[in-house]
Amino acid sequence: MGVEVVVADYNYTSIYAWAKQINWYGLFLATVILIVGLFISQLFRKLTYKISIRFFPEATARNIARAVYYTLVFIVGASALGALGIDLTGLFVAGGIIGIILGFALQNITANLFSGLFLYWEKPFSPGDLVDINGLMGWILEITVLSTKLLGLDGVKIRIPNQEVFQSHIKNYQATKARRLDFVIGIAYKEDAEKAYEVIRKVIDEHPLVLVHPPPDVFVYELGDSSVNILVRVWVPSRGMLWYEVYKDLLWKMKKAITEAGIEIPFIQNDVWFRTPLRIKLETNEESIGTTRRRGGR
Amino acid sequence: MKEHVVIHDNELMVEKISKGVIEYTRKHRGETVVSRILYHATRLELLPMYPVMLPKKFTTYILVKLEKPVAVPPRREVDIYIKIPVDTAVYAYGPLHRFLVIDVFTHHRIKYYLYGPPDRGVVARYAYSKVYVKKPETEFGEALAYIHIRNRYISWVEVGQVLLDAQILKLYYKPETWNACTQYISLVANSPSTASIYYGRRISGEYRPIQDPPDLKPPRLLAKTEMLWGLK
């Protein structure tokens, strides 16, 4: 079995006719549009990157520049095809329909993208800040176009979509220079609250990280079920984790000082009153009597 | 070979543990709080340090409350002296005269103060000083600051506090003594509640500048501090 090779019999007249049909001017124009257009697109890419890097993080600036570049490349390509005389109406109609379909399919991504941009403009936090977003607490690692990444206090990395971040209550613990810490200390009803104030104030004064101004506030804020509750409000620097050091340190020192001063910190006490008289059944068995007495309480 | 020096509640000890190796230890009220091993340290020196390093360095500001506010008439200038607290740093020098601050301690009570609102103000080391009209003597842990107050406002201004920035402030010491001072400082009151602090030339005499820890002195274009949230 062999292969038959057929050599085409070129008809030079037909090639000339074909060449004559080509729109050489259009081809030249399309080539020029393509080369110049791609060059300009590249220039715009660099320009957009250089401008947006001033306002956005590097990753976002690069993505914006890339988006601008591909949009321009698409326009250049369409123009070049137009110069060749190719009708793009059908392509645009198809593109429009695809765009609508993609719009529906990618609406979450688009929402996250725009939320990310709004977050950049609003700047509720910066990388390194300690924040609380919808109850998730951690340090901001990165704010990308689609999501915000946190390093949780337990060392777990958390990714939150930007749309959720944008619609959440955000607490930024490091947006201010100082923050307030509240402590509640319960003392027994029989104790002198003013003596407790004195002891607490001494502990607060000795702590270097409790600010002199705004001044600490110590007062009875509630007459609780089992104790007189004293509220202690102090201001501390919010830089780093200094507030956490004070938080850990101060409550124990106050408790120790109060105990050393002989002030009672009571346990929760419940008095049970019976509306009807309580009947206690006495049995002759000594052990049962003992048990009943113990159960009867007072 | 073991040497030790006692400064208030702190006992500083240097022990040669091998050839070219020394151990530096500081005990506070009998409890060891710092212990370092140093190789090829040629000299250890105690020098005054800006009071912003303890218990941790998180600010560079020092707010000095004056015992009595100073009232300055409109368009007039007055000169006062105040004392600012300084901590004590242990400098270890090595080859090429390079240094390392191995320890900072103080005998002052450390407290901080929020000057301004929580969102825009500054947290500053809190200090309290008498106002001196004549140059006073300083003791260990104090630095003398000469403040020139100029009232540019059209009415009387009362100055009851001075905000200083350790990034611009310069400390000088007299060798072989505990005497320390800052450069000349000028407080220009622009209104009853705002002022600009300018840091001028050094005080003449036998004073030497301390070697600043590099992270405390970033390059700055504008060497002034603005007091925007009150002078009293």
Side-chain angles (χ1 to χ4, degrees):
Chain A
M1 217 168 85
V3 178
E4 191 183 349
V5 178
V6 179
V7 178
D9 183 16
Y10 288 110
N11 184 341
Y12 290 100
T13 316
S14 64
I15 291 172
Y16 177 72
W18 174 77
K20 222 180 159 186
Q21 280 174 359
I22 292 172
N23 179 3
W24 289 105
Y25 174 71
L27 195 64
F28 173 73
L29 198 64
T31 312
V32 169
I33 288 172
L34 212 59
I35 292 168
V36 174
L38 288 178
F39 178 71
I40 291 171
S41 306
Q42 195 64 33
L43 274 183
F44 266 91
R45 182 185 196 163
K46 285 181 181 169
L47 192 69
T48 313
Y49 180 78
K50 279 184 180 172
I51 292 171
S52 51
I53 194 87
R54 294 181 192 170
F55 307 103
F56 303 112
E58 201 276 335
T60 313
R62 200 173 55 235
N63 285 335
I64 292 171
R66 200 180 286 169
V68 168
Y69 175 71
Y70 286 121
T71 310
L72 288 175
V73 166
F74 177 77
I75 293 167
V76 166
S79 307
L81 288 175
L84 282 173
I86 297 168
D87 186 12
L88 296 173
T89 319
L91 190 69
F92 283 129
V93 170
I97 293 166
I98 290 168
I100 292 166
I101 294 165
L102 282 177
F104 276 110
L106 303 176
Q107 59 178 333
N108 281 338
I109 292 173
T110 316
N112 281 323
L113 180 79
F114 279 99
S115 300
L117 291 175
F118 287 132
L119 285 174
Y120 284 126
W121 283 322
E122 201 186 332
K123 286 193 194 318
F125 44 67
S126 315
D129 284 355
L130 181 67
V131 296
D132 183 322
I133 302 169
N134 261 0
L136 294 168
M137 201 170 168
W139 291 276
I140 297 287
L141 286 177
E142 196 184 3
I143 311 154
T144 63
V145 181
L146 296 178
S147 66
T148 298
K149 292 181 182 85
L150 260 73
L151 181 65
L153 295 181
D154 53 358
V156 176
K157 206 170 169 183
I158 305 162
R159 178 192 174 277
I160 312 174
N162 279 339
Q163 192 185 4
E164 198 182 319
V165 176
F166 192 66
Q167 291 170 349
S168 301
H169 295 283
I170 301 168
K171 280 187 190 176
N172 187 339
Y173 293 102
Q174 283 167 350
T176 55
K177 304 292 188 304
R179 62 173 290 204
R180 200 185 72 193
L181 294 181
D182 291 358
F183 301 91
V184 176
I185 295 166
I187 58 165
Y189 268 89
K190 64 174 183 181
E191 301 292 354
D192 180 4
E194 281 166 12
K195 188 182 167 192
Y197 290 174
E198 228 173 81
V199 174
I200 292 167
R201 283 210 177 97
K202 193 164 178 280
V203 175
I204 290 171
D205 278 352
E206 281 170 5
H207 203 292
L209 292 173
V210 173
L211 300 182
V212 175
H213 180 84
D217 212 358
V218 183
F219 61 95
V220 169
Y221 93 106
E222 187 186 47
L223 299 175
D225 294 338
S226 315
S227 58
V228 174
N229 292 331
I230 297 173
L231 184 63
V232 181
R233 284 182 164 160
V234 295
W235 285 79
V236 294
S238 45
R239 182 89 178 262
M241 289 298 278
L242 292 172
W243 65 272
Y244 186 59
E245 283 180 28
V246 180
Y247 190 77
K248 284 190 299 182
D249 215 18
L250 209 55
L251 189 59
W252 176 244
K253 280 187 174 164
M254 286 191 291
K255 190 265 168 199
K256 231 167 103 177
I258 282 173
T259 309
E260 278 167 12
I263 299 168
E264 188 193 343
I265 299 176
F267 298 106
I268 293 172
Q269 293 171 14
N270 290 319
D271 291 343
V272 182
W273 294 87
F274 293 93
R275 195 181 289 272
T276 52
L278 187 66
R279 288 183 183 171
I280 300 168
K281 189 180 176 185
L282 293 173
E283 290 178 12
T284 50
N285 188 325
E286 282 300 314
E287 198 181 327
S288 304
I289 291 168
T291 313
T292 315
R293 276 182 187 155
R294 279 200 296 277
R295 281 183 189 157
R298 16 183 200 167
Chain B
M1 195 179 79
K2 197 172 182 177
E3 285 182 38
H4 82 118
V5 57
V6 177
I7 303 169
H8 291 267
D9 292 335
N10 294 287
E11 185 184 5
L12 282 61
M13 286 174 289
V14 180
E15 189 179 0
K16 188 176 175 182
I17 51 176
S18 179
K19 193 185 174 187
V21 187
I22 56 167
E23 184 179 1
Y24 166 81
T25 309
R26 178 164 63 87
K27 287 183 176 179
H28 181 72
R29 291 176 185 168
E31 191 187 334
T32 303
V33 284
V34 178
S35 189
R36 308 275 291 258
I37 290 173
L38 303 162
Y39 276 78
H40 306 299
T42 52
R43 186 164 50 104
L44 294 185
E45 202 171 17
L46 291 171
L47 291 175
M49 175 52 68
Y50 306 97
V52 290
M53 311 292 269
L54 297 171
K56 278 179 183 170
K57 183 183 164 288
F58 63 91
T59 182
T60 58
Y61 290 96
I62 306 149
L63 186 104
V64 186
K65 280 268 178 193
L66 306 184
E67 187 189 33
K68 292 166 189 166
V70 178
V72 186
R75 314 281 188 205
R76 289 288 186 277
E77 298 175 14
V78 299
D79 294 328
I80 59 164
Y81 291 94
I82 61 169
K83 288 178 181 178
I84 65 166
V86 284
D87 299 338
T88 306
V90 182
Y91 280 67
Y93 290 91
L96 305 172
H97 204 64
R98 299 286 174 186
F99 68 89
L100 177 71
V101 178
I102 56 170
D103 188 18
V104 181
F105 61 93
T106 187
H107 70 281
H108 295 290
R109 193 171 71 104
I110 303 167
K111 289 302 274 183
Y112 286 87
Y113 188 102
L114 176 67
Y115 175 69
D119 58 335
R120 286 172 295 134
V122 291
V123 174
R125 168 82 179 261
Y126 178 71
Y128 186 79
S129 172
K130 282 184 177 177
V131 177
Y132 302 90
V133 289
K134 286 180 186 171
K135 191 177 173 182
E137 288 298 316
T138 54
E139 292 173 6
F140 170 72
E142 293 175 343
L144 188 69
Y146 168 88
I147 313 275
H148 176 78
I149 304 173
R150 185 153 69 95
N151 182 5
R152 281 175 54 185
Y153 193 58
I154 49 162
S155 184
W156 283 76
V157 162
E158 282 190 284
V159 178
Q161 58 190 4
V162 181
L163 183 73
L164 301 171
D165 187 353
Q167 287 186 340
I168 319 171
L169 194 71
K170 190 76 197 159
L171 278 181
Y172 299 89
Y173 69 100
K174 197 185 265 184
E176 312 298 327
T177 70
W178 291 121
N179 286 347
C181 66
T182 69
Q183 75 268 62
Y184 285 102
I185 294 164
S186 175
L187 186 151
V188 179
N190 304 313
S191 77
S193 60
T194 61
S196 304
I197 310 275
Y198 297 92
Y199 300 83
R201 61 192 164 82
R202 64 182 286 184
I203 288 177
S204 55
E206 300 163 356
Y207 287 90
R208 275 191 208 163
I210 66 158
Q211 286 186 297
D212 297 320
D215 58 335
L216 198 65
K217 300 280 176 178
R220 287 179 73 107
L221 290 175
L222 205 60
K224 70 170 182 174
T225 309
E226 293 292 347
M227 291 182 71
L228 302 174
W229 296 287
L231 301 181
K232 276 204 287 184

